[in-house]
């Protein structure tokens, strides 16, 4: 279970996973689990009580009150055990906590037993006493190198033991072992037949192409595709020195116990046991230091020779291990088993993918653009203006842009399948893409994807809203979208607002932070007020309206059949499956939003957001650095409003409010903040929220 700030945690062997359920009760200092056994399950409550300090009595009583609520809740359905660091004792009365704890245990009819040593910290209801076999206090355990003392409670209980199941996965092909000559020979042999049999049915032709890619992979790569079984492994460091020190510590402990476990500090056996334990601790510390130094060395070498490895190592250093949640909550539902969790994921992402109208949205624009878009399409089709067909150069460029080493799509096709046979495959890919451009129709199966929820930093993993959905689209669709993106960029890059610093080639997103920090420096230098307001669009990518988007694209200069094709790419229902712990949900029908992870998405979002920045810049409101206007440095969907007066700040907020309400975008108030620099009595309480 997740360790809270109070330092309390519960761990158990995976073999008994089926018997354990995490309980949502408790708080920062309390955790609880349900243990299924016999006729009546056990409720195990683990607590780290406050220590003696200022106001500790209040917090101590409050923590006991929380335990009291849990006991009352589960006393009729469970056998209850309370354990942990009580910071109080039933066997003394020297501190206020001792008296409070004694009173509490007496009122709740919980306590210990004669079988228990004085130091034990397990308390239980009277009816469980017959199940307690013994309690051991491991205050001299040879392998315990911490300052804390483990306590073991042994119960006479029957649990269903299940061995950890190995997960079967299809491993990524080892492209480093690929025989490129054989791979190309298979393609050269079968591709002409494939092209000859083509009947111009795009989906069928693409699927036949993918079959050929798999056939070439099987011929050129050993054990392709390879199904392997994996089990999770522990992450503790172990080496020869630790192994040797551990054995010596165990032997010293064994000898000490055989001679009656003498407690005198001067006893030779106890001295040897303590020394052996110190050697073990030293070996463990040296191993961790060595690991850190090794990683640092790899980072330094990679920074000069291998940038990909460098960033991989840096990310490994930064991130914390992610353990998937066993509890998921949505609205008033709580899911604790795999089928229920999958249903919650499907429901959550279906809600995101389904348009809803907020109270402050201005729907008049939506009604108008829907009518206007249909008229635009009719006019553009009547014009008969052609669309430039795809050429070999564009396809090669798109394939080269595909990132190797990434997850394959739902049909097992990865970037490497195309990269390793680019020269041979390109003519047929050109043919297929030109069919799409000619018919202005994108097959439904190219609009699908696999979405994986990725937990945002420092968020509650039991809430679906704490996750960002990253979609792996069809690899062939990536080639198509890459070509379309280049064509849209050639028009939009010329009119993209200079305040937008995100998703822009050749421009670092740090530029937005740089402009903000420079504006702060300028205000301090000139001793003038600076108001910084950060605005965050709620689920910006997930809730983007398609009709409004393509109306904006048309007015930005994306015209003709290219516009029709782009609209058809998102028109109609596309679908995704949510992947979680190797399982996938049923289809989620996507009626709004753009996929995070898709090639076109970044450009399309910038188009959607651009009019807000244009309006702010044209207004003349906001802060400046010298003669340069910097009213709203922006990175993707994050806008930083900078103003030297409350009037300017309010004016910019009004502009944002006007456009977001018409674009059906909601500004998230919980993520939007205001900070004042050089305030000196200034007040922003008069600002109206968005």
């Amino acid at each position: 279970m997740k360790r809270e700030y109070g330092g309390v945690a519960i761990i158990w062997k995976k073999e008994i996973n089926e018997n354990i359920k995490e309980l949502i009760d408790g708080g920062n200092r309390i955790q609880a689990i349900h243990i299924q056994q016999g006729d009546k399950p056990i409720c195990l409550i683990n607590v780290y009580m406050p220590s003696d300090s200022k106001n500790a009595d209040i917090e101590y009583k409050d923590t006991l009150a929380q335990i009291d609520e849990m006991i009352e809740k589960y006393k009729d359905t469970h056998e209850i055990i309370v354990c942990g660091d009580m910071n109080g004792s039933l066997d003394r009365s020297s501190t206020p906590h001792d008296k409070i704890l004694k009173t509490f245990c007496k009122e709740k009819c919980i306590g210990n037993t004669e079988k228990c040593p004085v130091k034990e910290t397990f308390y239980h209801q009277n009816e469980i006493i017959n199940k307690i076999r013994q309690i051991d206090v491991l205050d001299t355990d040879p392998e315990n190198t911490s300052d804390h003392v483990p306590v073991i409670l042994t119960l006479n209980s029957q649990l269903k033991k299940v061995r950890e199941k190995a997960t079967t996965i299809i491993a990524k092909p080892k492209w480093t072992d690929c025989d490129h000559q054989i791979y190309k020979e298979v393609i050269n042999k079968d591709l002409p037949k494939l092209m000859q049999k083509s009947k111009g049915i795009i989906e069928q032709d693409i699927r036949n192409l993918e079959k050929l890619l798999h056939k070439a992979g099987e011929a050129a790569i050993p054990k392709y595709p390879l199904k392997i079984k994996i089990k999770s492994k522990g992450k503790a460091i172990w080496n020869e020195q630790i192994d040797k020190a551990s054995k010596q510590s165990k032997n010293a402990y064994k000898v000490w116990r055989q001679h009656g476990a003498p407690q005198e500090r001067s006893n030779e056996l106890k001295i040897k046991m303590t020394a052996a334990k110190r050697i073990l601790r030293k070996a463990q510390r040296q191993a961790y230091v060595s690991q850190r130094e090794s990683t640092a060395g790899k980072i330094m070498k990679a920074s000069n020779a291998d940038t990909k490895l460098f960033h991989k190592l840096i990310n490994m250093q930064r991130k914390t291990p992610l353990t998937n949640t066993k509890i998921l909550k949505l609205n008033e539902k709580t899911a604790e088993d795999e089928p229920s969790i999958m249903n919650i994921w499907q429901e959550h992402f279906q809600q995101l993918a389904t348009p809803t109208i907020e109270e402050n949205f201005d729907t008049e624009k939506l009604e108008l653009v829907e009518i206007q878009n249909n008229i635009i399409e009719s006019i553009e089709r009547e014009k008969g203006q052609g669309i430039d067909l795809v050429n070999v150069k564009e396809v090669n460029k798109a394939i080269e842009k595909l990132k190797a080493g990434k997850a394959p799509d739902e049909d097992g096709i990865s970037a490497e399948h195309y990269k390793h046979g680019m020269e041979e495959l390109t003519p047929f890919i050109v043919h297929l893409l030109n069919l799409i451009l000619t018919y202005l129709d994108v097959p439904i199966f190219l609009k699908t994807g696999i979405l994986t929820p990725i937990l945002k930093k420092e968020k509650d993993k039991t809430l679906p809203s704490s996750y960002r959905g990253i979609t792996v689209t069809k690899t062939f669709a990536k080639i198509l979208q890459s070509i379309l993106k280049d064509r849209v960029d050639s028009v939009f890059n010329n009119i993209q607002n200079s305040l937008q610093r995100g998703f822009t080639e050749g421009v670092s997103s740090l530029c937005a932070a740089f402009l903000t920090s420079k504006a702060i420096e300028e205000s301090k230098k000139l001793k003038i007020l600076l108001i910084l307001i950060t605005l965050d669009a709620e689920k910006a990518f997930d809730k983007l309206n398609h009709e409004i988007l393509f109306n904006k694209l048309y007015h930005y200069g994306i015209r003709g059949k290219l516009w029709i094709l782009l609209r058809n790419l998102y028109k109609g229902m596309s679908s995704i499956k949510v992947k979680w712990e190797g399982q996938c949900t049923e289809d989620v029908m996507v009626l709004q939003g753009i996929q995070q992870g898709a090639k076109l998405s970044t450009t399309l979002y910038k188009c959607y957001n651009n009019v807000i920045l244009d309006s702010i810049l044209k207004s003349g409101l906001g802060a400046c650095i010298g003669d340069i206007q910097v009213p709203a440095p922006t990175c993707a969907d994050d806008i930083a409003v900078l103003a030297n007066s409350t009037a300017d700040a309010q004016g910019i907020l009004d502009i944002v409010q006007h456009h977001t309400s018409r674009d059906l975008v909601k500004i998230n108030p919980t993520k939007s903040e205001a900070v004042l620099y050089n305030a000196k009595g200034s007040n922003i309480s008069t600002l109206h929220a968005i």
Side-chain angles (χ1 to χ4, degrees), residues 76 105 160 366 406 416 434 447 460 547 609:
D76 295 329
C105 290
K160 183 180 179 182
L366 176 60
K406 297 295 183 180
E416 287 87 346
N434 283 332
K447 301 180 184 182
D460 183 352
E547 292 298 334
N609 201 34

Side-chain angles (χ1 to χ4, degrees), residues 289-303:
V289 170
S290 177
Q291 184 189 56
R292 287 197 297 270
E293 290 178 348
S294 174
T295 302
K298 289 178 182 177
I299 290 173
M300 295 305 294
K301 289 180 181 178
S303 64

Side-chain angles (χ1 to χ4, degrees), residues 39-85:
D39 297 329
K40 198 172 186 181
I42 293 172
C43 172
L44 178 67
I45 302 171
N46 189 20
V47 59
Y48 181 29
M49 298 295 288
S51 57
D52 292 318
S53 62
K54 187 178 180 181
N55 299 323
D57 284 357
I58 297 173
E59 191 177 359
Y60 198 91
K61 291 177 181 178
D62 179 65
T63 307
L64 285 177
Q66 294 178 52
I67 297 174
D68 184 20
E69 290 179 7
M70 296 171 68
I71 291 174
E72 289 299 315
K73 179 177 179 180
Y74 293 107
K75 67 180 182 181
D76 295 329
T77 57
H78 291 69
E79 294 175 339
I80 296 174
I81 300 176
V82 182
C83 63
D85 188 341

